[in-house]
Amino acid sequence: MNIFLKRWQALGYLTAGAFLSPLDYFIVNMALPSIKKAFHASDHQLQMVVAIYGLTYAALVVCGGRLGDLYGRKKIFILGLYIFLLASLACAFSPDIRFLIISRLFQGVGASFLAPQVLASIRVLFTGNEQPKAVSIFSSVFGLASVAGQLLGGFLLNLHWREFSWELVFLVNVPITLICIIGTHFSMDNNREEKKQSIDFVGALLMIASLLMLICPVIFGRKYHWAWWIFAILLSGLVMLVIFYQYEVKSLGKNRAVLIDPILLQHQPFVLCLLIIFFYNFTAGLFICYPYYLQQFLHSNPVETGLAIIPYGAAFFLGPLIVPRIKLSPYTMTNIGLVLLIAGFSLTSIFIYLQEKPSLGTDISLFLAGLGHGIVMPVMMRQAISLISKEKAGQASGLISISIQIGSVTGGTIIGTIFFGSIELWAFPKAFALAIFIIAAVQIIGIFLNYTLHKNNKLKQTTSI
């Protein structure tokens, strides 16, 4: 087979496999009301169904990138697909909510092996001129997943095939994983870094512990009336992150394996890219709150709920495809995307506050927000990976993925907690309007970070590390 054709075919299967990671985030959000009814689950348990998946993904995605560097991206990608397949089956046949949460944890493990191999492979397989197109294709997957997750989730929940309901949102992963396993096997070489090192398991444990200590108190704080020990655990999580960083610095100084190369975190432009990625992924709060609002307050059926989110998802999908055709600087494009996010979510908040039910105005405002998201994502991902040398591609792509996931988990957790907590104080519409407005407000931080990044690049020529 022609080498040029083969690598684009490999990208197709890699992208399809990576598509599963965001798909399972969006599609499960659609199923939360059905899962709540089936297992009589609390709001905290529903948040854990979402958060444990993203948290595990975030904690292990750097390990996934490192494993790809060491043992070959093809092998680790296929291993991730097998784990994801088995975990999806376990989710579908869960006997209770606790088993489902544990199964979601293992789904996160499988997902953490997928996305890093795609970005690292793009860095290795494609030339500098081809990379923007390849990254845009990969970025569009997230928008496509948001559309597919909502529509497919609504359709499957309405299907009730052989007495299955919410279970179908997990069973749909089975044929996709099998196709990707077979396709990747025949279209991709097992590219990896020649230099072999051991894996930093201590660093991985420190990172997992710190993330758990930061996310879980936010989810369960309301349940325990924000007792003092909730804040003590949060503070301990921050301390654990500092300990993790210091451990990585010492390990690097002693020439031992590290989970995250501290040099990457000392490169200011790269870190600024990661922070912008982190904050714009607070948009994940929309996909937790909106389906719940529509189904629980407005009593919309799953198909109607799926259609309501389409304006955002469609624009999110189109954004990465438009970006390569626009000849503006990354600084300008990022600002355009962030302003669209702020305007779109602010208008959505106002429309829901005033009208309660979605309207044409809501659809237009969500489209603007989705377009902003779709513009920012590929620009920041491309800018971030361009700063890094091929030798560190796996770790860098892992850090980009972890920023996406931690942003999604943190944003989803904070916005979801505000939403569920506000329902108890105010009516549903006011609670939802507040949650959406906070998503808009957070994007202002991204504009300041982007200005700092632009100023930094003007003062000195950015180089790869």
Side-chain angles (χ1 to χ4, degrees):
M1 180 184 291
N2 183 285
I3 295 176
F4 178 83
L5 178 62
K6 185 177 180 180
R7 60 183 171 171
W8 284 103
Q9 188 179 71
L11 177 65
Y13 289 114
L14 286 168
T15 303
F19 169 79
L20 291 168
S21 302
L23 176 70
D24 256 56
Y25 180 87
F26 294 115
I27 201 170
V28 169
N29 288 330
M30 287 289 296
L32 290 181
S34 297
I35 292 172
K36 179 177 184 177
K37 183 178 179 181
F39 293 132
H40 305 289
S42 66
D43 293 339
H44 310 96
Q45 289 172 322
L46 293 180
Q47 281 186 280
M48 280 302 295
V49 169
V50 177
I52 197 66
Y53 172 78
L55 182 63
T56 309
Y57 182 113
L60 297 178
V61 71
V62 177
C63 289
R66 191 77 187 114
L67 286 168
D69 287 346
L70 295 176
Y71 300 108
R73 284 141 196 157
K74 175 181 176 179
K75 286 184 179 179
I76 299 304
F77 188 78
I78 290 177
L79 175 62
L81 288 170
Y82 276 116
I83 295 173
F84 199 89
L85 170 63
L86 295 174
S88 296
L89 289 170
C91 287
F93 296 102
S94 296
D96 55 49
I97 189 66
R98 293 179 183 83
F99 191 92
L100 176 60
I101 292 172
I102 293 171
S103 300
R104 287 282 284 169
L105 183 149
F106 285 101
Q107 250 194 332
V109 174
S112 71
F113 289 1
L114 301 178
Q117 315 316 325
V118 184
L119 281 175
S121 294
I122 288 173
R123 188 75 173 89
V124 173
L125 295 176
F126 297 94
T127 65
N129 293 332
E130 295 170 332
Q131 284 181 17
K133 181 179 179 182
V135 172
S136 293
I137 291 172
F138 174 59
S139 299
S140 67
V141 161
F142 292 86
L144 181 61
S146 68
V147 176
Q150 307 306 311
L151 278 180
L152 187 59
F155 172 76
L156 292 173
L157 288 165
N158 245 27
L159 190 60
H160 296 288
W161 179 71
R162 293 183 180 273
E163 299 184 356
F164 287 120
S165 176
W166 60 267
E167 296 92 343
L168 292 174
V169 304
F170 297 108
L171 292 176
V172 74
N173 295 328
V174 175
I176 300 175
T177 51
L178 292 175
I179 291 170
C180 290
I181 288 169
I182 296 170
T184 305
H185 177 75
F186 288 105
S187 66
M188 183 179 173
D189 296 324
N190 193 40
N191 63 81
R192 65 182 179 186
E193 300 303 324
E194 293 182 4
K195 185 179 178 181
K196 285 194 173 184
Q197 296 182 14
S198 58
I199 298 176
D200 180 15
F201 289 110
V202 175
L205 288 173
L206 286 172
M207 175 172 278
I208 292 170
S210 61
L211 291 176
L212 282 169
M213 294 168 74
L214 289 170
I215 297 298
C216 290
V218 177
I219 293 176
F220 291 99
R222 186 165 53 92
K223 180 179 179 180
Y224 295 103
H225 308 290
W226 300 103
W228 66 267
W229 53 268
I230 291 289
F231 296 98
I233 294 174
L234 278 169
L235 180 61
S236 300
L238 292 173
V239 172
M240 188 71 75
L241 274 181
V242 174
I243 293 172
F244 164 74
Y245 177 76
Q246 291 177 339
Y247 175 81
E248 296 296 277
V249 171
K250 289 181 181 179
S251 296
L252 186 66
K254 295 179 180 179
N255 203 29
R256 295 200 303 247
V258 293
L259 183 68
I260 297 174
D261 190 338
I263 294 174
L264 292 176
L265 297 179
Q266 293 165 7
H267 189 56
Q268 188 180 11
F270 181 69
V271 171
L272 286 169
C273 289
L274 295 181
L275 288 172
I276 294 170
I277 290 170
F278 170 81
F279 283 113
Y280 77 65
N281 275 287
F282 270 50
T283 52
L286 171 72
F287 295 95
I288 292 177
C289 301
Y290 201 28
Y292 195 89
Y293 174 78
L294 293 171
Q295 294 184 57
Q296 296 295 100
F297 175 67
L298 297 178
H299 306 292
S300 301
N301 64 45
V303 173
E304 291 170 336
T305 302
L307 290 172
I309 204 72
I310 289 303
Y312 187 97
F316 187 5
F317 173 68
L318 290 174
L321 302 179
I322 295 172
V323 166
R325 301 176 183 274
I326 302 175
K327 305 302 179 183
L328 293 173
S329 68
Y331 170 70
T332 302
M333 289 299 295
T334 301
N335 273 345
I336 290 172
L338 291 173
V339 168
L340 285 171
L341 277 168
I342 293 169
F345 279 117
S346 297
L347 288 171
T348 301
S349 175
I350 293 169
F351 287 136
I352 292 295
Y353 182 83
L354 296 175
Q355 300 173 344
E356 295 189 1
K357 294 183 179 181
S359 62
L360 177 61
T362 311
D363 291 341
I364 293 172
S365 62
L366 285 174
F367 184 89
L368 291 176
L371 187 61
H373 196 163
I375 288 172
V376 175
M377 174 172 276
V379 174
M380 293 314 306
M381 291 174 72
R382 188 171 73 231
Q383 194 169 1
I385 65 170
S386 70
L387 299 170
I388 307 303
S389 64
K390 289 185 178 181
E391 291 73 23
K392 298 182 186 293
Q395 290 192 61
S397 61
L399 277 170
I400 293 169
S401 296
I402 202 174
S403 296
I404 293 171
Q405 281 307 124
I406 292 182
S408 297
V409 173
T410 305
T413 299
I414 292 174
I415 302 302
T417 298
I418 291 171
F419 173 62
F420 288 121
S422 298
I423 290 172
E424 298 175 358
L425 300 174
W426 306 316
F428 254 102
K430 288 183 179 179
F432 181 65
L434 174 63
I436 297 305
F437 182 76
I438 290 173
I439 297 175
V442 168
Q443 306 313 311
I444 297 173
I445 300 172
I447 289 180
F448 284 106
L449 291 170
N450 189 43
Y451 173 75
T452 304
L453 176 62
H454 177 63
K455 188 177 179 181
N456 182 288
N457 288 341
K458 287 182 69 175
L459 289 174
K460 62 181 179 179
Q461 181 68 34
T462 301
T463 56
S464 294
I465 58 172

